[in-house]
Every structure is written in C-alpha cells, then in structure tokens.
C-alpha cells in the first residue's frame, strides 16, 4: 500500500469520489490502492478531510437509498430458464425494501408497535442500588419465590 507521501490531491479526490458513489470505505480504499487503516489515520489527523469524508458518505448513502427505492418500486428483471435455456424474464419487486422505506419515511404510521420497558418491583421504577453479590442473590431468591 502507498505511504503518506503518495496520498496526492488526485488520490484524495478519487477516494472521496468512490466513497460518494458507494458509501463503502473498503472499496474506495482499494480504488486508490491504500490501506483503510491508513486512510482512517489521515481522517483523524485532518479535520477538512474528515468533513469531506462525512459528506461523501452522506452522498453514497443517498445513492444506496435511491437504489433501494428503484428495486422496491420498479423491480429488477430476473431471467427465466426452461431446460437450461433462457426463455424470458420476470420482474421481481422487493417487498422487504418497501417495508424498510415506509418505516423510515413514516414511522408513526408504518413503524413497529412493540415497546419494551423495564420496571422494578411491583411495576415501579428500577432502583439503582449498590449491593454485594450475597445481597443480590438474596433478592433474586425472593423474586423467584414470588413467581
């Protein structure tokens, strides 16, 4: 992999362009033939590079969302074979992607209705109490006896 002197402005631009297209750090690092770990070190050392990196990830994530919408809404063509020969194709849609997109865009209407809440004894608030392991075991035994 290339060393520090080899991270030219051209490589930086190519890395950020690939990151903006894929939102994939590994793929962008391969495109410029540099180690991911080294690029993360550069990111930590350069606030401007970190901001550009974050902006590229946002663009890449938007591209992924656009592709998810396309697959859910327009579908993809899948080949159909008969006796080993391609005889046509069918359009398949992704119901799973559609569900995720609906949840992301309108959680109140399409989000999960399950709520998990923890409560203390008798449905009251959880008590944050420092206790020894023996005290904890005794309370656990009492709770098990109640069941």
């Amino acid at each position: 992999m290339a060393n520090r002197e080899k991270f030219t402005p051209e490589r930086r631009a190519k890395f950020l362009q690939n990151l903006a297209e894929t939102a994939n750090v590994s793929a962008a690092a391969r495109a410029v033939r540099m180690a991911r770990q080294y690029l993360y070190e550069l990111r930590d050392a350069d606030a401007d590079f970190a901001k550009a990196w974050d902006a590229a990830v946002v663009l890449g994530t938007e591209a992924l969302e656009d592709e998810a919408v396309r697959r859910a809404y327009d579908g993809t063509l899948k080949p159909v074979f008969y006796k080993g020969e391609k005889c046509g194709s069918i359009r398949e849609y992704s119901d799973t992607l559609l569900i995720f997109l609906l949840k992301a865009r309108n959680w109140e209407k399409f989000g999960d209705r399950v709520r998990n809440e923890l409560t203390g004894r008798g449905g009251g608030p959880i008590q944050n109490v420092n206790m020894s392991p023996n005290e904890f075991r005794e309370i656990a035994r009492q709770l098990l006896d109640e069941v």
Side-chain angles (χ1 to χ4, degrees):
M1 293 288 170
N3 60 25
R4 289 185 196 276
E5 294 80 35
K6 299 292 184 172
F7 194 59
T8 63
E10 294 79 18
R11 272 196 163 155
R12 175 182 161 136
K14 184 175 181 180
F15 170 79
L16 292 170
Q17 179 64 37
N18 275 276
L19 191 57
E21 291 171 359
T22 65
N24 184 319
V25 175
S26 295
R30 278 192 302 274
V32 295
R33 298 180 56 210
M34 300 188 87
R36 286 177 65 241
Q37 181 177 350
Y38 172 65
L39 290 165
Y40 275 106
E41 290 172 9
L42 290 176
R43 173 189 164 79
D44 291 341
D46 184 344
D48 290 335
F49 182 49
K51 286 178 187 175
W53 179 313
D54 291 344
V57 169
V58 168
L59 289 173
T61 302
E62 289 173 356
L64 291 173
E65 184 180 358
D66 291 344
E67 178 62 13
V69 169
R70 187 194 67 74
R71 289 182 186 197
Y73 189 74
D74 297 332
T76 56
L77 288 176
K78 301 285 182 175
V80 175
F81 293 89
Y82 178 72
K83 293 186 178 181
E85 297 289 322
K86 183 178 174 189
C87 60
S89 58
I90 59 171
R91 185 166 302 276
E92 288 187 353
Y93 301 89
S94 176
D95 293 341
T96 304
L97 282 173
L98 185 59
I99 291 166
F100 278 111
L101 290 166
L102 288 170
K103 284 182 177 186
R105 292 171 188 235
N106 192 341
W107 184 259
E108 289 298 315
K109 187 172 183 180
F110 298 107
D112 298 328
R113 302 281 186 249
V114 176
R115 287 178 40 175
N116 293 320
E117 295 182 9
L118 299 175
T119 60
R121 179 177 270 174
I126 295 174
Q127 301 296 317
N128 185 6
V129 179
N130 292 325
M131 63 181 83
S132 71
N134 288 336
E135 292 171 312
F136 179 78
R137 281 189 213 98
E138 180 58 32
I139 291 173
R141 281 191 200 102
Q142 290 172 9
L143 289 171
L144 288 173
D145 288 343
E146 291 177 7
V147 176

